[in-house]
Each structure stands twice: as structure tokens, then as C-alpha cells.
Amino acid sequence: DGGITQSPKYLFRKEGQNVTLSCEQNLNHDAMYWYRQDPGQGLRLIYYSQIVNDFQKGDIAEGYSVSREKKESFPLTVTSAQKNPTAFYLCASSPGTGEFYGYTFGSGTRLTVV
Amino acid sequence: GENVEQHPSTLSVQEGDSAVIKCTYSDSASNYFPWYKQELGKRPQLIIDIRSNVGEKKDQRIAVTLNKTAKHFSLHITETQPEDSAVYFCAANEGRTDSWGKLQFGAGTQVVVTP
């Protein structure tokens, strides 16, 4: 999967539940990102982390939380405070230093509220 | 922060014709402009990128042009083929040092190539 793995591929959430999306990379990248994709709206940044134990809010962080305890892992929790969580979630990584060459994306998790 | 606008939202072309997608950005400090192709249900894949010290870059049937003064950049696909059908996203990085690697994406262009 190109060095960055997201799981699960499909996830169903009931109203009021928290769910956690997994993102793991073996590219030795320092920086990791979470984006949300809705039809017709492109990719919007939820959270990003440039180094272990540090992360920053993106443009649409409300209702989401993250942690970065290990370099390889950047899980995203969709909390019950996120009122419209149905979307396609993409995790990405980049080296974090030196010249920027864009992202390596994971294959995505499609979250549906039932 | 950066704001990226992309046009058109959909583009239908006959096989063999050219396709052009245009993007504008707002942050004058942006210096990296990638283009991604996303097929249905799959991850975006980088197809070409350009840096602010270059005005044009070409890779086989794909080319990107950048006008820093006007803050716009474009993707050109020549001799389109059915496998070019996908959603294409432009993006621009945020120029501040403390937001290294942050990309703002355009809303995407659905390209349909008809045989």
C-alpha cells in the first residue's frame, strides 16, 4: 500500500459513538496529516503533526481528536461532537524536513453514520 | 491562510483532444504546486508538480504552467485517453515555516474522456 496503511476500509458509526481510524506508515516520515473528502469540496485538513508528541488543528478540527505517540502512527478519533461525520477520510505523510515533495496518501477510510 | 480555487468543476472532452484545468491561489509565499489524480474510490496520486522558480514543466502528455504574478497555475493534458478520466486536484503549500508541508487543495475537476 505504498508504505502508508489505513484501516478499516469501511466503518459504520451509530449516532453518539466515538470511532477511531487507524493510520500507520513505514516511510520514516516525520509529518502526518488527516484530510476529509466530501463530494464537490476537495480535501479539507483536519489535523496535522510535524513531529512526535505534537500536532496542530487544521481547518475543520471541531469534533475530531488525534494523538501522535509514535512516529509511525497517527490515529484519528471521530467523536460524537462531529455532527456530520459521513465522509471519506484520507491520511497522508511527508518527510517533514528538507525540500517538500508532496504527500504519500493512504487508501482511505469511508465512514458512514447509520 | 492559503485559499485555492479550481475551475472547471467538470470537464468533458473527446478522446484525443486537450484538457485544461485552472487554479488560483492567494498566498504569495506559496512555492510548491502539486497536481493529484484520483480515480473513483482510490487514493489521490501525484502526477506532476511545479515550484515557484519554474514557469513550466512537462512530463509526456501532461504539463503544468505557473504565473506567479497572477497567482495562477494550470494543468494541460494533451491527446487525452479514456484512462485520463478521473478527478484532478490542484494544491498549493502554505508558505510559512511553521506550516511546512500543509497543502490547501482546490475543489477538484471531474474529467470525462469519451471515446
Side-chain angles (χ1 to χ4, degrees), chain A residues 18-80:
Chain A
N18 292 355
V19 291
T20 297
L21 285 60
S22 170
C23 178
E24 304 274 335
Q25 53 98 0
N26 61 4
L27 300 166
N28 200 33
H29 285 172
D30 285 313
M32 298 185 75
Y33 312 83
W34 274 105
Y35 281 86
R36 169 179 171 145
Q37 186 173 22
D38 295 281
Q41 293 194 45
L43 283 70
R44 293 182 291 165
L45 183 63
I46 304 172
Y47 269 97
Y48 66 104
S49 168
Q50 293 175 310
I51 199 167
V52 175
N53 292 323
D54 187 53
F55 49 83
Q56 308 295 330
K57 292 182 179 180
D59 300 319
I60 56 165
E62 186 175 350
Y64 300 97
S65 66
V66 293
S67 63
R68 187 84 188 279
E69 297 176 1
K70 298 187 301 181
K71 187 175 186 177
E72 302 79 18
S73 178
F74 191 41
L76 173 74
T77 296
V78 184
T79 75
S80 56

Short mmCIF file of all heavy atoms in Angstrom, two decimals, chain A residues 18-80:
data_model
loop_
_atom_site.label_atom_id
_atom_site.label_comp_id
_atom_site.label_asym_id
_atom_site.label_seq_id
_atom_site.Cartn_x
_atom_site.Cartn_y
_atom_site.Cartn_z
N ASN A 18 -18.14 7.26 19.51
CA ASN A 18 -16.82 7.66 19.04
C ASN A 18 -16.24 6.51 18.24
O ASN A 18 -16.43 5.34 18.58
CB ASN A 18 -15.88 7.94 20.21
CG ASN A 18 -16.28 9.17 21.01
OD1 ASN A 18 -17.21 9.88 20.64
ND2 ASN A 18 -15.58 9.41 22.08
N VAL A 19 -15.52 6.82 17.17
CA VAL A 19 -14.82 5.79 16.41
C VAL A 19 -13.41 6.28 16.10
O VAL A 19 -13.18 7.48 15.98
CB VAL A 19 -15.53 5.44 15.09
CG1 VAL A 19 -16.83 4.72 15.36
CG2 VAL A 19 -15.76 6.67 14.24
N THR A 20 -12.49 5.32 16.00
CA THR A 20 -11.10 5.67 15.73
C THR A 20 -10.64 5.05 14.42
O THR A 20 -10.82 3.86 14.19
CB THR A 20 -10.18 5.20 16.88
OG1 THR A 20 -10.56 5.88 18.08
CG2 THR A 20 -8.72 5.52 16.57
N LEU A 21 -10.04 5.90 13.58
CA LEU A 21 -9.49 5.49 12.30
C LEU A 21 -7.97 5.35 12.46
O LEU A 21 -7.32 6.25 13.02
CB LEU A 21 -9.80 6.52 11.22
CG LEU A 21 -11.23 6.57 10.65
CD1 LEU A 21 -12.27 6.87 11.73
CD2 LEU A 21 -11.30 7.62 9.55
N SER A 22 -7.46 4.26 11.93
CA SER A 22 -6.03 3.98 12.09
C SER A 22 -5.25 4.45 10.87
O SER A 22 -5.71 4.34 9.73
CB SER A 22 -5.82 2.48 12.29
OG SER A 22 -4.45 2.14 12.22
N CYS A 23 -4.03 4.97 11.11
CA CYS A 23 -3.11 5.34 10.03
C CYS A 23 -1.70 4.99 10.49
O CYS A 23 -1.23 5.50 11.52
CB CYS A 23 -3.21 6.82 9.71
SG CYS A 23 -2.03 7.33 8.41
N GLU A 24 -1.04 4.11 9.73
CA GLU A 24 0.30 3.67 10.06
C GLU A 24 1.20 3.82 8.82
O GLU A 24 0.80 3.45 7.73
CB GLU A 24 0.30 2.19 10.47
CG GLU A 24 -0.62 1.85 11.62
CD GLU A 24 0.05 2.08 12.96
OE1 GLU A 24 1.30 2.03 13.02
OE2 GLU A 24 -0.67 2.31 13.95
N GLN A 25 2.42 4.34 9.03
CA GLN A 25 3.35 4.46 7.89
C GLN A 25 4.72 3.89 8.27
O GLN A 25 5.14 3.98 9.42
CB GLN A 25 3.46 5.93 7.43
CG GLN A 25 3.81 6.94 8.51
CD GLN A 25 5.26 7.32 8.60
OE1 GLN A 25 6.11 6.84 7.84
NE2 GLN A 25 5.59 8.20 9.54
N ASN A 26 5.37 3.30 7.28
CA ASN A 26 6.72 2.76 7.48
C ASN A 26 7.73 3.46 6.56
O ASN A 26 8.73 2.85 6.16
CB ASN A 26 6.72 1.24 7.25
CG ASN A 26 6.31 0.86 5.84
OD1 ASN A 26 6.08 1.73 4.99
ND2 ASN A 26 6.19 -0.42 5.59
N LEU A 27 7.45 4.72 6.28
CA LEU A 27 8.29 5.51 5.37
C LEU A 27 9.31 6.35 6.12
O LEU A 27 10.07 7.10 5.51
CB LEU A 27 7.40 6.42 4.51
CG LEU A 27 6.38 5.67 3.64
CD1 LEU A 27 5.33 6.64 3.09
CD2 LEU A 27 7.09 4.96 2.50
N ASN A 28 9.28 6.27 7.45
CA ASN A 28 10.16 7.09 8.30
C ASN A 28 9.88 8.59 8.12
O ASN A 28 10.78 9.42 8.26
CB ASN A 28 11.64 6.80 8.04
CG ASN A 28 12.52 7.23 9.20
OD1 ASN A 28 12.12 7.19 10.36
ND2 ASN A 28 13.73 7.68 8.88
N HIS A 29 8.63 8.91 7.80
CA HIS A 29 8.25 10.32 7.64
C HIS A 29 7.95 10.95 8.99
O HIS A 29 7.33 10.33 9.86
CB HIS A 29 7.01 10.42 6.75
CG HIS A 29 7.31 10.20 5.31
ND1 HIS A 29 6.32 10.10 4.35
CD2 HIS A 29 8.49 10.09 4.64
CE1 HIS A 29 6.88 9.94 3.15
NE2 HIS A 29 8.20 9.92 3.32
N ASP A 30 8.38 12.20 9.15
CA ASP A 30 8.09 12.92 10.38
C ASP A 30 6.67 13.50 10.40
O ASP A 30 6.05 13.57 11.44
CB ASP A 30 9.09 14.07 10.57
CG ASP A 30 10.45 13.57 11.01
OD1 ASP A 30 10.49 12.74 11.94
OD2 ASP A 30 11.45 14.01 10.43
N ALA A 31 6.20 13.96 9.25
CA ALA A 31 4.93 14.68 9.20
C ALA A 31 3.79 13.77 8.73
O ALA A 31 3.95 12.98 7.80
CB ALA A 31 5.05 15.89 8.26
N MET A 32 2.64 13.92 9.39
CA MET A 32 1.45 13.17 9.02
C MET A 32 0.25 14.08 9.06
O MET A 32 0.22 15.07 9.82
CB MET A 32 1.27 11.95 9.94
CG MET A 32 2.43 10.95 9.84
SD MET A 32 2.18 9.45 10.80
CE MET A 32 0.96 8.58 9.78
N TYR A 33 -0.76 13.75 8.25
CA TYR A 33 -1.91 14.63 8.05
C TYR A 33 -3.19 13.80 7.97
O TYR A 33 -3.19 12.68 7.44
CB TYR A 33 -1.76 15.41 6.73
CG TYR A 33 -0.41 16.05 6.54
CD1 TYR A 33 0.66 15.32 6.04
CD2 TYR A 33 -0.19 17.39 6.86
CE1 TYR A 33 1.91 15.89 5.86
CE2 TYR A 33 1.05 17.97 6.68
CZ TYR A 33 2.10 17.21 6.18
OH TYR A 33 3.34 17.78 6.01
N TRP A 34 -4.30 14.41 8.38
CA TRP A 34 -5.62 13.84 8.14
C TRP A 34 -6.45 14.83 7.34
O TRP A 34 -6.56 16.01 7.71
CB TRP A 34 -6.33 13.55 9.45
CG TRP A 34 -6.00 12.22 10.04
CD1 TRP A 34 -5.20 11.95 11.11
CD2 TRP A 34 -6.48 10.95 9.58
NE1 TRP A 34 -5.14 10.60 11.34
CE2 TRP A 34 -5.92 9.96 10.43
CE3 TRP A 34 -7.33 10.53 8.55
CZ2 TRP A 34 -6.17 8.60 10.28
CZ3 TRP A 34 -7.58 9.19 8.39
CH2 TRP A 34 -7.01 8.23 9.24
N TYR A 35 -7.04 14.32 6.25
CA TYR A 35 -7.93 15.12 5.42
C TYR A 35 -9.29 14.43 5.35
O TYR A 35 -9.39 13.20 5.38
CB TYR A 35 -7.38 15.26 4.00
CG TYR A 35 -6.28 16.28 3.85
CD1 TYR A 35 -4.96 15.94 4.10
CD2 TYR A 35 -6.57 17.58 3.47
CE1 TYR A 35 -3.95 16.89 3.96
CE2 TYR A 35 -5.57 18.53 3.33
CZ TYR A 35 -4.26 18.18 3.58
OH TYR A 35 -3.26 19.11 3.44
N ARG A 36 -10.30 15.27 5.20
CA ARG A 36 -11.65 14.79 4.97
C ARG A 36 -12.04 15.16 3.55
O ARG A 36 -11.78 16.28 3.10
CB ARG A 36 -12.60 15.44 5.98
CG ARG A 36 -14.06 15.22 5.68
CD ARG A 36 -14.95 15.85 6.72
NE ARG A 36 -16.34 15.78 6.27
CZ ARG A 36 -17.36 15.60 7.08
NH1 ARG A 36 -17.19 15.50 8.39
NH2 ARG A 36 -18.59 15.54 6.59
N GLN A 37 -12.69 14.20 2.86
CA GLN A 37 -13.13 14.46 1.49
C GLN A 37 -14.62 14.27 1.39
O GLN A 37 -15.16 13.19 1.70
CB GLN A 37 -12.40 13.53 0.52
CG GLN A 37 -12.71 13.85 -0.94
CD GLN A 37 -11.88 13.04 -1.92
OE1 GLN A 37 -11.36 11.98 -1.61
NE2 GLN A 37 -11.74 13.55 -3.14
N ASP A 38 -15.31 15.32 0.96
CA ASP A 38 -16.74 15.28 0.66
C ASP A 38 -16.92 15.58 -0.82
O ASP A 38 -16.11 16.30 -1.42
CB ASP A 38 -17.49 16.34 1.49
CG ASP A 38 -17.42 16.06 2.97
OD1 ASP A 38 -18.18 15.19 3.43
OD2 ASP A 38 -16.60 16.69 3.66
N PRO A 39 -17.97 15.05 -1.41
CA PRO A 39 -18.19 15.28 -2.85
C PRO A 39 -18.24 16.76 -3.18
O PRO A 39 -18.94 17.53 -2.52
CB PRO A 39 -19.55 14.61 -3.11
CG PRO A 39 -19.68 13.58 -2.03
CD PRO A 39 -19.01 14.18 -0.83
N GLY A 40 -17.48 17.18 -4.17
CA GLY A 40 -17.52 18.55 -4.64
C GLY A 40 -16.79 19.56 -3.77
O GLY A 40 -16.85 20.76 -4.03
N GLN A 41 -16.13 19.07 -2.71
CA GLN A 41 -15.46 20.03 -1.80
C GLN A 41 -13.97 19.80 -1.68
O GLN A 41 -13.32 20.43 -0.87
CB GLN A 41 -16.08 19.95 -0.41
CG GLN A 41 -17.51 20.43 -0.36
CD GLN A 41 -17.97 20.66 1.06
OE1 GLN A 41 -17.26 21.25 1.87
NE2 GLN A 41 -19.17 20.21 1.37
N GLY A 42 -13.41 18.94 -2.45
CA GLY A 42 -11.98 18.74 -2.36
C GLY A 42 -11.59 18.11 -1.03
O GLY A 42 -12.39 17.47 -0.37
N LEU A 43 -10.35 18.31 -0.65
CA LEU A 43 -9.81 17.74 0.59
C LEU A 43 -9.64 18.87 1.60
O LEU A 43 -9.01 19.90 1.29
CB LEU A 43 -8.46 17.08 0.33
CG LEU A 43 -8.44 15.70 -0.34
CD1 LEU A 43 -8.87 15.78 -1.80
CD2 LEU A 43 -7.07 15.09 -0.23
N ARG A 44 -10.16 18.65 2.80
CA ARG A 44 -10.03 19.66 3.84
C ARG A 44 -9.23 19.10 5.01
O ARG A 44 -9.47 17.98 5.46
CB ARG A 44 -11.42 20.12 4.30
CG ARG A 44 -12.19 20.88 3.22
CD ARG A 44 -13.53 21.35 3.73
NE ARG A 44 -14.44 20.25 3.95
CZ ARG A 44 -15.57 20.35 4.66
NH1 ARG A 44 -15.91 21.49 5.21
NH2 ARG A 44 -16.37 19.30 4.79
N LEU A 45 -8.31 19.90 5.51
CA LEU A 45 -7.37 19.45 6.53
C LEU A 45 -8.02 19.44 7.90
O LEU A 45 -8.57 20.45 8.36
CB LEU A 45 -6.15 20.37 6.53
CG LEU A 45 -5.01 20.01 7.49
CD1 LEU A 45 -4.41 18.66 7.14
CD2 LEU A 45 -3.94 21.10 7.47
N ILE A 46 -7.91 18.30 8.60
CA ILE A 46 -8.49 18.15 9.93
C ILE A 46 -7.42 18.42 10.99
O ILE A 46 -7.57 19.29 11.84
CB ILE A 46 -9.06 16.73 10.13
CG1 ILE A 46 -10.08 16.39 9.03
CG2 ILE A 46 -9.72 16.61 11.50
CD1 ILE A 46 -10.53 14.93 9.05
N TYR A 47 -6.36 17.64 10.97
CA TYR A 47 -5.24 17.80 11.89
C TYR A 47 -3.95 17.44 11.16
O TYR A 47 -3.98 16.69 10.19
CB TYR A 47 -5.38 16.84 13.09
CG TYR A 47 -6.10 17.39 14.29
CD1 TYR A 47 -7.45 17.12 14.50
CD2 TYR A 47 -5.42 18.15 15.24
CE1 TYR A 47 -8.12 17.61 15.61
CE2 TYR A 47 -6.09 18.65 16.36
CZ TYR A 47 -7.44 18.36 16.54
OH TYR A 47 -8.08 18.85 17.64
N TYR A 48 -2.85 17.97 11.66
CA TYR A 48 -1.57 17.55 11.14
C TYR A 48 -0.55 17.52 12.28
O TYR A 48 -0.70 18.20 13.29
CB TYR A 48 -1.09 18.43 9.98
CG TYR A 48 -0.78 19.87 10.34
CD1 TYR A 48 0.54 20.31 10.46
CD2 TYR A 48 -1.80 20.80 10.50
CE1 TYR A 48 0.82 21.63 10.77
CE2 TYR A 48 -1.52 22.12 10.80
CZ TYR A 48 -0.22 22.53 10.93
OH TYR A 48 0.07 23.85 11.23
N SER A 49 0.50 16.73 12.04
CA SER A 49 1.55 16.57 13.04
C SER A 49 2.89 16.61 12.33
O SER A 49 3.12 15.86 11.39
CB SER A 49 1.38 15.23 13.78
OG SER A 49 2.53 14.94 14.55
N GLN A 50 3.75 17.50 12.77
CA GLN A 50 5.06 17.62 12.12
C GLN A 50 6.14 16.83 12.85
O GLN A 50 7.23 16.63 12.32
CB GLN A 50 5.44 19.10 12.00
CG GLN A 50 4.52 19.86 11.04
CD GLN A 50 4.81 21.35 11.00
OE1 GLN A 50 4.89 21.99 12.02
NE2 GLN A 50 4.96 21.89 9.81
N ILE A 51 5.80 16.38 14.09
CA ILE A 51 6.78 15.64 14.87
C ILE A 51 6.04 14.87 15.95
O ILE A 51 4.92 15.22 16.32
CB ILE A 51 7.83 16.61 15.47
CG1 ILE A 51 9.09 15.85 15.88
CG2 ILE A 51 7.24 17.41 16.60
CD1 ILE A 51 10.25 16.76 16.18
N VAL A 52 6.67 13.83 16.46
CA VAL A 52 6.06 13.02 17.52
C VAL A 52 5.71 13.90 18.72
O VAL A 52 6.43 14.83 19.06
CB VAL A 52 7.02 11.89 17.93
CG1 VAL A 52 6.46 11.11 19.12
CG2 VAL A 52 7.26 10.94 16.77
N ASN A 53 4.56 13.59 19.32
CA ASN A 53 4.06 14.26 20.52
C ASN A 53 3.66 15.71 20.28
O ASN A 53 3.54 16.50 21.24
CB ASN A 53 5.08 14.20 21.68
CG ASN A 53 5.26 12.79 22.21
OD1 ASN A 53 4.30 12.02 22.28
ND2 ASN A 53 6.48 12.44 22.55
N ASP A 54 3.45 16.06 19.02
CA ASP A 54 2.99 17.42 18.69
C ASP A 54 2.03 17.34 17.52
O ASP A 54 2.27 16.59 16.56
CB ASP A 54 4.17 18.31 18.34
CG ASP A 54 3.73 19.75 18.16
OD1 ASP A 54 3.08 20.31 19.06
OD2 ASP A 54 4.01 20.32 17.09
N PHE A 55 0.93 18.10 17.58
CA PHE A 55 0.01 18.15 16.46
C PHE A 55 -0.72 19.49 16.50
O PHE A 55 -0.77 20.17 17.54
CB PHE A 55 -0.98 16.97 16.49
CG PHE A 55 -1.66 16.74 17.82
CD1 PHE A 55 -2.78 17.46 18.19
CD2 PHE A 55 -1.17 15.78 18.69
CE1 PHE A 55 -3.41 17.23 19.41
CE2 PHE A 55 -1.79 15.54 19.90
CZ PHE A 55 -2.90 16.27 20.26
N GLN A 56 -1.25 19.87 15.36
CA GLN A 56 -1.91 21.16 15.20
C GLN A 56 -3.28 20.98 14.55
O GLN A 56 -3.46 20.08 13.72
CB GLN A 56 -1.07 22.08 14.30
CG GLN A 56 0.38 22.24 14.73
CD GLN A 56 0.53 22.93 16.06
OE1 GLN A 56 -0.30 23.76 16.43
NE2 GLN A 56 1.58 22.59 16.80
N LYS A 57 -4.21 21.85 14.90
CA LYS A 57 -5.51 21.83 14.25
C LYS A 57 -5.40 22.33 12.81
O LYS A 57 -4.66 23.26 12.52
CB LYS A 57 -6.49 22.71 15.02
CG LYS A 57 -6.86 22.18 16.39
CD LYS A 57 -7.87 23.09 17.07
CE LYS A 57 -8.24 22.55 18.45
NZ LYS A 57 -9.23 23.42 19.12
N GLY A 58 -6.20 21.71 11.97
CA GLY A 58 -6.33 22.18 10.61
C GLY A 58 -7.56 23.07 10.50
O GLY A 58 -7.96 23.74 11.46
N ASP A 59 -8.18 23.07 9.33
CA ASP A 59 -9.29 23.97 9.06
C ASP A 59 -10.62 23.51 9.63
O ASP A 59 -11.53 24.31 9.84
CB ASP A 59 -9.44 24.15 7.55
CG ASP A 59 -8.17 24.74 6.93
OD1 ASP A 59 -7.59 25.66 7.54
OD2 ASP A 59 -7.77 24.28 5.84
N ILE A 60 -10.76 22.19 9.88
CA ILE A 60 -12.05 21.65 10.32
C ILE A 60 -11.86 20.68 11.48
O ILE A 60 -12.37 19.58 11.48
CB ILE A 60 -12.80 20.97 9.15
CG1 ILE A 60 -11.95 19.87 8.51
CG2 ILE A 60 -13.23 21.99 8.10
CD1 ILE A 60 -12.75 18.94 7.62
N ALA A 61 -11.16 21.08 12.53
CA ALA A 61 -10.80 20.17 13.62
C ALA A 61 -11.94 19.88 14.60
O ALA A 61 -11.88 18.90 15.35
CB ALA A 61 -9.61 20.75 14.38
N GLU A 62 -12.99 20.69 14.61
CA GLU A 62 -14.05 20.51 15.60
C GLU A 62 -14.71 19.14 15.47
O GLU A 62 -15.13 18.73 14.38
CB GLU A 62 -15.11 21.60 15.44
CG GLU A 62 -16.17 21.56 16.53
CD GLU A 62 -17.13 22.73 16.44
OE1 GLU A 62 -16.89 23.67 15.66
OE2 GLU A 62 -18.15 22.70 17.15
N GLY A 63 -14.80 18.43 16.61
CA GLY A 63 -15.42 17.11 16.60
C GLY A 63 -14.45 15.97 16.33
O GLY A 63 -14.87 14.82 16.26
N TYR A 64 -13.19 16.30 16.19
CA TYR A 64 -12.14 15.30 15.94
C TYR A 64 -11.03 15.43 16.98
O TYR A 64 -10.84 16.49 17.54
CB TYR A 64 -11.51 15.48 14.55
CG TYR A 64 -12.46 15.37 13.39
CD1 TYR A 64 -13.02 16.51 12.81
CD2 TYR A 64 -12.80 14.13 12.85
CE1 TYR A 64 -13.88 16.42 11.73
CE2 TYR A 64 -13.66 14.03 11.77
CZ TYR A 64 -14.21 15.18 11.22
OH TYR A 64 -15.06 15.08 10.15
N SER A 65 -10.33 14.32 17.22
CA SER A 65 -9.13 14.37 18.05
C SER A 65 -8.09 13.42 17.48
O SER A 65 -8.42 12.47 16.75
CB SER A 65 -9.45 14.02 19.51
OG SER A 65 -9.85 12.67 19.61
N VAL A 66 -6.83 13.70 17.80
CA VAL A 66 -5.73 12.87 17.31
C VAL A 66 -4.71 12.67 18.42
O VAL A 66 -4.74 13.34 19.44
CB VAL A 66 -5.01 13.51 16.10
CG1 VAL A 66 -5.92 13.55 14.87
CG2 VAL A 66 -4.47 14.88 16.43
N SER A 67 -3.79 11.75 18.18
CA SER A 67 -2.63 11.58 19.05
C SER A 67 -1.45 11.23 18.16
O SER A 67 -1.62 10.72 17.06
CB SER A 67 -2.87 10.49 20.09
OG SER A 67 -3.07 9.23 19.45
N ARG A 68 -0.25 11.50 18.66
CA ARG A 68 0.96 11.14 17.90
C ARG A 68 2.03 10.68 18.90
O ARG A 68 3.01 11.37 19.19
CB ARG A 68 1.47 12.34 17.10
CG ARG A 68 2.62 11.99 16.16
CD ARG A 68 2.18 11.43 14.86
NE ARG A 68 3.24 10.91 14.04
CZ ARG A 68 4.04 11.66 13.25
NH1 ARG A 68 3.90 12.96 13.23
NH2 ARG A 68 4.96 11.07 12.50
N GLU A 69 1.81 9.48 19.42
CA GLU A 69 2.71 8.92 20.43
C GLU A 69 3.90 8.22 19.80
O GLU A 69 4.94 8.03 20.43
CB GLU A 69 1.93 7.99 21.34
CG GLU A 69 0.84 8.69 22.14
CD GLU A 69 0.01 7.72 22.97
OE1 GLU A 69 0.30 6.51 22.94
OE2 GLU A 69 -0.93 8.18 23.65
N LYS A 70 3.72 7.77 18.55
CA LYS A 70 4.79 7.10 17.82
C LYS A 70 4.94 7.75 16.45
O LYS A 70 3.97 8.22 15.86
CB LYS A 70 4.48 5.62 17.64
CG LYS A 70 4.35 4.83 18.91
CD LYS A 70 4.22 3.33 18.60
CE LYS A 70 3.02 3.05 17.75
NZ LYS A 70 2.88 1.60 17.45
N LYS A 71 6.14 7.73 15.92
CA LYS A 71 6.39 8.32 14.62
C LYS A 71 5.54 7.65 13.54
O LYS A 71 5.09 8.29 12.60
CB LYS A 71 7.87 8.18 14.28
CG LYS A 71 8.32 8.90 13.03
CD LYS A 71 9.83 8.78 12.88
CE LYS A 71 10.33 9.62 11.72
NZ LYS A 71 11.81 9.56 11.62
N GLU A 72 5.32 6.34 13.68
CA GLU A 72 4.66 5.57 12.63
C GLU A 72 3.14 5.72 12.63
O GLU A 72 2.50 5.35 11.66
CB GLU A 72 4.99 4.08 12.80
CG GLU A 72 6.46 3.73 12.78
CD GLU A 72 7.17 4.02 14.09
OE1 GLU A 72 6.49 4.17 15.14
OE2 GLU A 72 8.41 4.12 14.09
N SER A 73 2.57 6.23 13.70
CA SER A 73 1.14 6.12 13.88
C SER A 73 0.49 7.47 14.16
O SER A 73 0.99 8.26 14.97
CB SER A 73 0.86 5.16 15.04
OG SER A 73 -0.52 5.04 15.29
N PHE A 74 -0.67 7.71 13.55
CA PHE A 74 -1.39 8.98 13.73
C PHE A 74 -2.89 8.69 13.68
O PHE A 74 -3.57 9.00 12.71
CB PHE A 74 -0.97 9.96 12.64
CG PHE A 74 -1.41 11.38 12.84
CD1 PHE A 74 -1.37 11.99 14.09
CD2 PHE A 74 -1.84 12.15 11.77
CE1 PHE A 74 -1.76 13.30 14.27
CE2 PHE A 74 -2.23 13.48 11.93
CZ PHE A 74 -2.18 14.05 13.18
N PRO A 75 -3.46 8.10 14.74
CA PRO A 75 -4.88 7.75 14.71
C PRO A 75 -5.79 8.97 14.86
O PRO A 75 -5.45 9.93 15.56
CB PRO A 75 -5.03 6.81 15.91
CG PRO A 75 -3.90 7.19 16.82
CD PRO A 75 -2.78 7.64 15.95
N LEU A 76 -6.93 8.90 14.20
CA LEU A 76 -7.93 9.96 14.24
C LEU A 76 -9.19 9.42 14.91
O LEU A 76 -9.71 8.38 14.51
CB LEU A 76 -8.27 10.41 12.82
CG LEU A 76 -9.42 11.41 12.68
CD1 LEU A 76 -9.00 12.80 13.14
CD2 LEU A 76 -9.92 11.47 11.23
N THR A 77 -9.67 10.12 15.94
CA THR A 77 -10.94 9.77 16.57
C THR A 77 -12.01 10.75 16.14
O THR A 77 -11.83 11.96 16.25
CB THR A 77 -10.80 9.76 18.10
OG1 THR A 77 -9.86 8.74 18.48
CG2 THR A 77 -12.14 9.47 18.77
N VAL A 78 -13.09 10.19 15.64
CA VAL A 78 -14.26 11.00 15.28
C VAL A 78 -15.21 10.91 16.47
O VAL A 78 -15.73 9.83 16.80
CB VAL A 78 -14.92 10.46 14.01
CG1 VAL A 78 -16.08 11.36 13.58
CG2 VAL A 78 -13.90 10.33 12.89
N THR A 79 -15.42 12.01 17.15
CA THR A 79 -16.21 11.99 18.37
C THR A 79 -17.69 12.24 18.07
O THR A 79 -18.05 12.65 16.95
CB THR A 79 -15.71 13.04 19.37
OG1 THR A 79 -16.11 14.34 18.92
CG2 THR A 79 -14.19 12.99 19.52
N SER A 80 -18.51 12.04 19.07
CA SER A 80 -19.94 12.26 18.93
C SER A 80 -20.26 13.75 18.71
O SER A 80 -21.36 14.09 18.28
CB SER A 80 -20.69 11.75 20.16
OG SER A 80 -20.18 12.36 21.33
#
